[in-house]
């Protein structure tokens, strides 16, 4: 199974709306074109939050149209701190959006770490119970878990203040289920990898503005927008890498101190 992850698109209410000077529709289009070039036949496209920067219905509708114009494979998404789940659901017009995806010997679990009206992440008791019950039910399947916020510090104080508050309880569940092979998130607008108790932890770059790693203050990076792909093998082996668009002269405000 080949899975493609995009995240933190920050689409505005209207085409051409920008984040720090970058037209986020344009950068998403560029990333999707790169995916089409490199991954013409993925099995699943997954979006891990902050799909919109304003949580307006037209932004989600436009996102869905952009994905459907490029891919005919299943798509799933989860909410970030800039999203509103009720509006995301309205954009689907009754279509179901899965939280559990079964593919061969693999299980993909989507968790909602967003907290309404706040930037930080958390997993409610109900969400943690859902994770535990799902891992118990599918204990024979190799598993990937996705959420929006980082459950571990990534080394940048300004964004690590928004870490998942219930990360301890989350990892208690993960540690008790050895079938979990990896955990991935968005939110931090940069690439990250760490291994914790034999489980790989990754973040995926944004499809728009990037944040410079290992900076305690908000700092915009000059790296380009990108995405992450995963190859999930039947025996539990997993391969993944980040791919970015070629250097492009986006009009980004690299001197910005926040957004």
């Amino acid at each position: 199974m080949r899975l493609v992850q995009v995240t933190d698109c920050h689409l505005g209410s209207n085409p051409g709306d920008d984040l720090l000077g970058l037209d986020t529709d344009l950068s998403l289009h560029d990333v999707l074109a790169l995916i089409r070039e490199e991954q013409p036949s993925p099995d699943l496209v997954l979006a891990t939050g902050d799909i919109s920067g304003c949580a307006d219905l037209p932004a989600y509708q436009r996102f869905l149209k952009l994905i459907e114009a490029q891919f005919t494979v299943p798509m799933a998404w989860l909410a970030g701190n800039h999203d509103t789940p009720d509006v995301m659901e309205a954009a689907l017009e009754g279509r179901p959006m899965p939280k559990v995806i079964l593919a061969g010997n693999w299980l993909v679990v989507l968790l909602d770490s967003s907290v309404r009206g706040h930037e930080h992440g958390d997993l409610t008791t109900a969400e943690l119970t859902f994770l535990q019950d799902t891992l118990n039910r599918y204990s024979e399947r190799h598993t990937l878990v996705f959420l929006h916020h980082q459950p571990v510090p990534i080394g940048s104080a300004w964004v690590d203040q928004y870490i998942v508050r219930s990360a301890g309880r989350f990892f208690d569940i993960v540690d008790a289920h050895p079938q979990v092979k990896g955990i991935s998130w968005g939110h931090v607008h940069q690439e990250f990898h760490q291994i914790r108790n034999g489980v790989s932890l990754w973040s995926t770059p944004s499809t728009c503005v990037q944040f410079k790693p290992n900076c305690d203050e908000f700092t915009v990076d000059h790296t380009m927008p990108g995405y992450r792909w995963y190859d999930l093998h039947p025996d539990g082996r997993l391969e993944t890498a980040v791919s970015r668009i070629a250097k492009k002269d986006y009009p980004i405000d690299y001197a910005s101190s926040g957004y």
Side-chain angles (χ1 to χ4, degrees), residues 179-256:
Q179 75 265 31
V180 177
K181 304 297 184 182
I183 300 164
S184 184
W185 58 88
H187 187 60
V188 297
H189 291 233
Q190 62 191 264
E191 184 177 357
F192 173 87
H193 178 234
Q194 184 181 95
I195 297 177
R196 179 192 174 278
N197 291 351
V199 178
S200 286
L201 312 177
W202 300 282
S203 70
T204 293
S206 165
T207 65
C208 62
V209 173
Q210 309 299 299
F211 300 151
K212 191 172 182 178
N214 302 312
C215 291
D216 286 341
E217 302 294 332
F218 179 93
T219 309
V220 180
D221 201 357
H222 283 76
T223 54
M224 291 289 100
Y227 74 98
R228 181 182 287 278
W229 59 263
Y230 305 80
D231 276 348
L232 311 181
H233 297 277
D235 62 0
R237 288 183 299 114
L238 184 156
E239 297 167 307
T240 183
V242 162
S243 184
R244 299 178 186 268
I245 66 170
K247 182 69 177 177
K248 186 170 180 176
D249 189 21
Y250 292 117
I252 299 171
D253 179 8
Y254 290 106
S256 175

Side-chain angles (χ1 to χ4, degrees), residues 28-219:
L28 175 58
H29 179 275
D30 290 345
V31 170
L32 294 179
L34 177 63
I35 296 171
R36 281 289 297 169
E37 176 184 340
E38 296 180 340
Q39 324 286 342
S41 301
D43 297 291
L44 174 68
V45 176
L46 176 61
T48 50
D50 282 359
I51 290 153
S52 171
C54 59
D56 282 353
L57 180 62
Y60 299 118
Q61 293 171 328
R62 211 162 63 251
F63 175 83
L64 292 171
K65 288 179 180 178
L66 285 168
I67 295 293
E68 291 164 359
Q70 296 286 347
F71 304 101
T72 58
V73 301
M75 190 278 291
W77 66 14
L78 53 83
N81 49 288
H82 288 280
D83 294 313
T84 299
D86 290 347
V87 183
M88 295 170 71
E89 185 175 352
L92 293 170
E93 298 179 343
R95 287 176 290 174
M97 187 57 67
K99 287 175 63 72
V100 173
I101 299 161
L102 304 177
N105 293 343
W106 281 85
L107 166 72
V108 177
V109 182
L110 279 62
L111 299 177
D112 182 0
S113 64
S114 63
V115 181
R116 310 304 169 249
H118 295 276
E119 296 292 313
H120 71 266
D122 202 3
L123 294 166
T124 65
T125 297
E127 202 73 357
L128 291 168
T129 299
F130 160 75
L131 173 63
Q132 180 163 289
D133 290 348
T134 301
L135 293 177
N136 287 339
R137 183 177 305 115
Y138 299 106
S139 59
E140 78 287 356
R141 291 178 181 264
H142 313 298
T143 302
L144 269 180
V145 177
F146 290 88
L147 66 167
H148 178 68
H149 295 81
Q150 73 270 34
V152 294
I154 63 160
S156 294
W158 76 269
V159 75
D160 280 335
Q161 64 183 310
Y162 305 127
I163 196 171
V164 173
R165 299 286 173 85
S166 53
R169 296 170 64 198
F170 168 71
F171 281 117
D172 285 345
I173 296 170
V174 170
D175 291 345
H177 293 86
Q179 75 265 31
V180 177
K181 304 297 184 182
I183 300 164
S184 184
W185 58 88
H187 187 60
V188 297
H189 291 233
Q190 62 191 264
E191 184 177 357
F192 173 87
H193 178 234
Q194 184 181 95
I195 297 177
R196 179 192 174 278
N197 291 351
V199 178
S200 286
L201 312 177
W202 300 282
S203 70
T204 293
S206 165
T207 65
C208 62
V209 173
Q210 309 299 299
F211 300 151
K212 191 172 182 178
N214 302 312
C215 291
D216 286 341
E217 302 294 332
F218 179 93
T219 309

